[in-house]
Structures are given as structure tokens and as C-alpha cells.
Amino acid sequence: GLADTDDTAIPPNGPVDASARPLHRTFSDKAASALLKKAGLLKPPTHNAGSGPPKRRALKEAEARARELPRCLLSYDCWRVVLLLDKREHYVERMLSKLCRMGILVEQRTLPIGDFLWIARGTRSSAGDDGAVEVCLGTVVERKTAQDLASSLYGTRFNEQRLRLRRSSQIDQIVFLVEAAGLDLPNCPGKTLHYAMVETLVQQGFAVRRTVDLDDTIRWLASMHKGISRRAYPDDQPDRQSFCKPPTVTFGRERHVTYEELQKRVEWDREFQTKSVRAIFGAMLLQVGSISVKKAKALTDRFPTPRALLEEICYGTGEKASDGGADALGELELLGSSSVRRVRVGKKASENLRQVLGVAENGVEQKTPSST
């Protein structure tokens, strides 16, 4: 093993005789692995071969448990609609206290996505809270003050948050809440914030709600809680604190999405999906002038890597490529978020892409001037 090497054979000082027998040994890959494992330097893999990364495996297991849930839902005879607050939010203790006084069942925890989330918790009267199941009720709220919204616009955080919300296929209703009495700020004009809200509504498809202050937000959350309770239990009184049957599956889904499933999905997406080449390329495209979120999404769907887009610009594989005087990329139509609606890249966006990639109009790479 490693102990076969005699440390005393190595002189502490002075030159080493180059003609002496080398102290190292030559091992095969198999022997080296066995030696390192024996020395404790090679740890066994944390997941079975072929099962994928641990977070991917955890997501698959959570999805499997959620698919089996409808068979045993009726065994849970006590259900409560709970509003979850993200414990990292500003004034969370104040919101928690006021909502409790209004008769809203509310808890705080570190949410995987959004700032407010509604769940239905089912328990068995014989077991109490042990073995409780939590299913999402399809609504999540992202809260922003005017200052938070202005700060997130100068960078990638605003688009990254919306990207995570949009990629969460388990959530059907996403509400973008802006808490501000006025939109005019010293460091950001009101028109910019108003455009960001409109763009979130039109292009992202999120519902946008504006409140005046924190108290107005609390009143709106209480109203939303009653509306979601009425949607989950249309045949019961929305003011009830508990129900004896599981909530109704809404938004045309076939089954409920568990809170565990949502959590594992967001963790997997945050670590792998948003760090893929396509996601990073999409974030890079958003820094180019005239490239909106919709165009960046359509471009990355068609050209998932920078090389694929560069080949389209240089060699023109599109339908308009054979037209020598036409800008093939500018005239290119891409599928948008819907398979029916198409997105046109546009001449200005094409020119900006060519300039960033250093490609001339004829598809030849532009040479940067030499410093000499």
C-alpha cells in the first residue's frame, strides 16, 4: 500500500542522485483506484450508476410519490388552507401578526420560489400532524417595492427571477405584486418601472397587482386567501378554517402538485437548467440592444448555442438565405411562446447581433483593428 514507501530513503537536504532508482511506482488505473480507496482518498459515488445526479433523483422520487397521492387522499380527513410567507421578506413578522388577527392561517418558512404561496395541508385525525401532506393550490406571489424593482432592473436579477417563475410548470397563477404609492424615484424614472410592469404582464403572462403600502398588501393577501379557499372548496364556506375533504384540482390539471415536488423541481432547475448553455446564452442575448425577453427565448429555442447562431448569420441556413441582398437573420421568423404566434428578429436586432459577434453584412467575420 502507501505505507510501502520508506520516507527515510528521501534525503531531507542536499542534492538527489539522478541515477538512483525512482521512488514512485507505476500502477494501472484499477490498481491506482484500489490504492486510493484503501487510503481513504477516493470516496464512493453518492448515487447509483445510471440514476443521475442526486437532485434529479430526488425530483423523480418526489414526482413518483405525488402520482401515488390520489389513491390515499381520502384517508386525510382534516384539511386546512395555509398562506406561506417567505421568512426572508421585509416586515414578515408584522405581516404574520396582522394576518393572524384577521383570521388567516399563515406560517413562515424559506420558500423555494416567490414570496407568498398557498397550500392545503391534509392530516389524519388519528395521527395529528404526523404524516401530513401538503399540496400547492396553484398561486404564487412575487412581491417588489418600487425601490426593489428599480434595483433589480440594473442587472440580471429581475430577468432571472421571472425566468425561474416562468419555468415552474407546477404553478399556474403567478402574480407580480408591486408595492408602491408612486413610481417616480430619484434613481429611476417612473416610466421605466411602468414599462417593466407592462412587459411582465404582456410578454411574461404574469398577473400584475399594485398596492399602496404594506397594510394594503396585507388586506389584498387576506382577500386572495378567501378567493383561493373558495376556488379550492367551491361547495363550502370560504371563511371556514378546516375542511373534511381534499381540495379541488384546478386549472385543468389531472392531479395535485405537492409542496415537496415543487421544492425539488425548483432546486433541480436552479442548479442545472438555469446554468445550461442555453440559459446562459439567453442571458447574454438580453444584454444586446433590441433583443427582448420574447426574442431571446425564441432565439435560444432555435439556436441553443452561440455557434448555432453564428453559423446562421455566416452561412444563412434560413429560408431567406439565398436572397443575397436581404438580411436573412432580420427576416427570420421564430416560434414564440405559442406555436401559433411567431416572432420576427427584426433588422435592428440583427444589426446589433452582427456587431456584437463581429460579423459583417456579407457573413464575413470582421477583423478588429490592430493596436500596432
Side-chain angles (χ1 to χ4, degrees):
L2 293 179
D4 294 341
T5 303
D6 187 5
D7 293 336
T8 60
I10 304 176
N13 297 302
V16 179
D17 185 5
S19 62
R21 183 179 178 182
L23 296 177
H24 69 275
R25 298 179 179 179
T26 302
F27 299 97
S28 64
D29 292 341
K30 185 177 181 180
S33 299
L35 190 62
L36 291 173
K37 186 176 180 180
K38 182 179 180 180
L41 300 178
L42 184 63
K43 297 181 179 180
T46 57
H47 57 276
N48 298 329
S51 62
K55 290 190 176 181
R56 179 62 175 174
R57 185 178 59 177
L59 172 60
K60 291 295 185 182
E61 293 174 353
E63 290 176 343
R65 286 190 290 270
R67 284 192 293 268
E68 295 294 328
L69 185 62
R71 300 181 181 180
C72 57
L73 272 182
L74 294 178
S75 64
Y76 296 88
D77 53 3
C78 182
W79 289 85
R80 296 175 182 269
V81 177
V82 186
L83 167 59
L84 301 181
L85 308 182
D86 191 279
K87 63 191 307 182
R88 297 163 294 187
E89 271 294 281
H90 298 298
Y91 308 109
V92 63
E93 296 294 341
R94 180 178 172 184
M95 288 189 290
L96 189 69
S97 176
K98 287 197 171 186
L99 286 168
C100 286
R101 289 200 298 267
M102 298 171 71
I104 304 299
L105 187 58
V106 58
E107 297 176 4
Q108 59 172 323
R109 65 175 67 170
T110 303
L111 296 180
I113 191 171
D115 299 317
F116 310 105
L117 178 69
W118 280 268
I119 64 169
R121 179 183 296 128
T123 57
R124 297 183 178 95
S125 55
S126 58
D129 290 337
D130 295 335
V133 62
E134 295 179 340
V135 297
C136 298
L137 296 180
T139 300
V140 65
V141 178
E142 177 72 24
R143 171 180 172 240
K144 292 282 187 185
T145 63
Q147 189 60 52
D148 291 339
L149 180 58
S151 300
S152 62
L153 289 177
Y154 297 98
T156 60
R157 187 163 63 94
F158 182 60
N159 288 323
E160 288 175 355
Q161 288 177 335
R162 296 189 304 176
L163 176 63
R164 285 198 297 268
L165 288 168
R166 190 175 66 245
R167 292 182 66 94
S168 299
S169 57
Q170 288 83 359
I171 299 298
D172 298 283
Q173 184 182 34
I174 302 174
V175 183
F176 195 78
L177 176 67
V178 179
E179 184 181 295
L183 296 179
D184 289 321
L185 298 175
N187 60 339
C188 185
K191 290 183 178 180
T192 302
L193 298 182
H194 181 72
Y195 175 79
M197 295 169 59
V198 173
E199 192 264 347
T200 301
L201 172 65
V202 176
Q203 295 194 9
Q204 302 294 329
F206 299 169
V208 178
R209 174 73 184 190
R210 183 177 169 186
T211 57
V212 178
D213 52 19
L214 182 62
D215 291 333
D216 192 19
T217 298
I218 294 173
R219 288 190 294 269
W220 179 80
L221 288 173
S223 176
M224 279 289 292
H225 184 86
K226 293 181 179 180
I228 292 174
S229 298
R230 188 181 298 109
R231 185 180 67 197
Y233 295 94
D235 300 330
D236 294 279
Q237 295 294 329
D239 295 333
R240 292 183 56 179
Q241 292 288 340
S242 62
F243 305 89
C244 60
K245 60 181 179 180
T248 303
V249 181
T250 56
F251 298 106
R253 286 187 172 271
E254 297 180 356
R255 64 173 179 86
H256 289 290
V257 176
T258 64
Y259 180 82
E260 179 196 20
E261 183 183 1
L262 173 66
Q263 188 177 31
K264 299 303 181 183
R265 166 66 65 180
V266 173
E267 290 176 357
W268 159 258
D269 185 77
R270 184 173 295 173
E271 181 167 345
F272 296 97
Q273 300 299 324
T274 56
K275 293 183 180 179
S276 63
V277 175
R278 176 180 297 184
I280 296 174
F281 183 37
M284 295 167 61
L285 288 175
L286 290 174
Q287 309 306 314
V288 181
S290 301
I291 298 294
S292 62
V293 176
K294 185 184 299 185
K295 288 183 180 180
K297 173 67 167 55
L299 281 169
T300 52
D301 287 343
R302 177 73 176 271
F303 311 108
T305 63
R307 178 176 179 176
L309 179 60
L310 189 60
E311 290 179 349
E312 170 66 25
I313 295 176
C314 293
Y315 304 111
T317 57
E319 298 175 357
K320 305 276 181 121
S322 59
D323 190 354
D327 183 358
L329 181 63
E331 296 294 330
L332 188 65
E333 291 185 348
L334 306 170
L335 287 177
S337 57
S338 171
S339 59
V340 178
R341 190 172 182 180
R342 304 182 73 88
V343 179
R344 185 172 175 271
V345 177
K347 182 178 180 181
K348 185 63 177 177
S350 174
E351 292 175 355
N352 292 336
L353 283 173
R354 291 177 181 276
Q355 183 177 2
V356 169
L357 296 174
V359 179
E361 289 293 331
N362 57 0
V364 179
E365 183 179 358
Q366 296 177 351
K367 295 182 178 180
T368 57
S370 175
S371 59
T372 54

